[in-house]
Amino acid sequence: KDEVTRFGLSFPSLDDRLEQLRATVDAVRRRGVETWVGGLHPRVREIALHADGWNVWEADPSRLIALLAAVDRRPGWTVSWGGRILVGAERDDVWLSGDPGRIHDRIQALDEAGVDELVLAALPPTDLGALDRVAALRRDG
């Protein structure tokens, strides 16, 4: 809401926003463009089922398993997990943090929960070598 109102735009009701989201997904898909929806609200997740994929931001795997159990996944419908990753140090507010082995185990938990793809934001943003170390561990393990 804060982002929208800062630009001087009105902030529609939840029902109106969800209807706009559904209409947007339908319109974009009719044009043959792959469409993803992100969000954990049950009604957003329902709309995501009509898209090509669903993205969740930093959802714990146990919660994600429960969320995915409540949906009927069709072939080709993709689930991605988005979140921050910090290699080499643990932080309570960063679920994918710590040494490469710990991160590997947590990514494995996401795999087992039903995640198809990861969308990662490296911390610090310039430490691409950290992602290379995790990727190497994933390939070797």
Side-chain angles (χ1 to χ4, degrees):
K1 180 177 181 178
D2 185 50
E3 291 178 65
V4 171
T5 56
R6 271 192 253 160
F7 289 103
L9 302 171
S10 64
F11 190 73
S13 70
L14 176 62
D15 287 339
D16 288 344
R17 293 190 319 272
L18 290 169
E19 183 52 41
Q20 290 170 359
L21 176 61
R22 181 180 302 280
T24 301
V25 167
D26 291 344
V28 172
R29 289 203 73 217
R30 275 194 307 273
R31 287 167 177 79
V33 177
E34 188 171 308
T35 307
W36 287 58
V37 172
L40 292 172
H41 190 283
R43 291 172 63 192
V44 170
R45 193 172 59 244
E46 180 182 308
I47 294 168
L49 289 169
H50 299 281
D52 297 292
W54 178 45
N55 179 262
V56 295
W57 184 257
E58 296 190 342
D60 182 273
S62 59
R63 181 172 186 210
L64 190 53
I65 288 169
L67 291 171
L68 287 173
V71 299
D72 184 22
R73 285 181 81 163
R74 69 179 188 283
W77 189 70
T78 305
V79 175
S80 65
W81 184 93
R84 298 164 296 161
I85 182 170
L86 175 62
V87 180
E90 287 186 31
R91 274 183 37 189
D92 291 339
D93 65 328
V94 180
W95 193 75
L96 279 181
S97 67
D99 65 73
R102 178 178 193 253
I103 291 171
H104 175 273
D105 292 347
R106 288 192 163 200
I107 291 173
Q108 186 65 37
L110 292 170
D111 287 343
E112 292 168 5
V115 170
D116 302 301
E117 297 181 5
L118 298 174
V119 179
L120 301 175
L123 297 174
T126 57
D127 190 0
L128 299 179
L131 293 179
D132 289 338
R133 291 190 296 279
V134 172
L137 185 59
R138 294 284 297 160
R139 281 191 301 273
D140 297 341

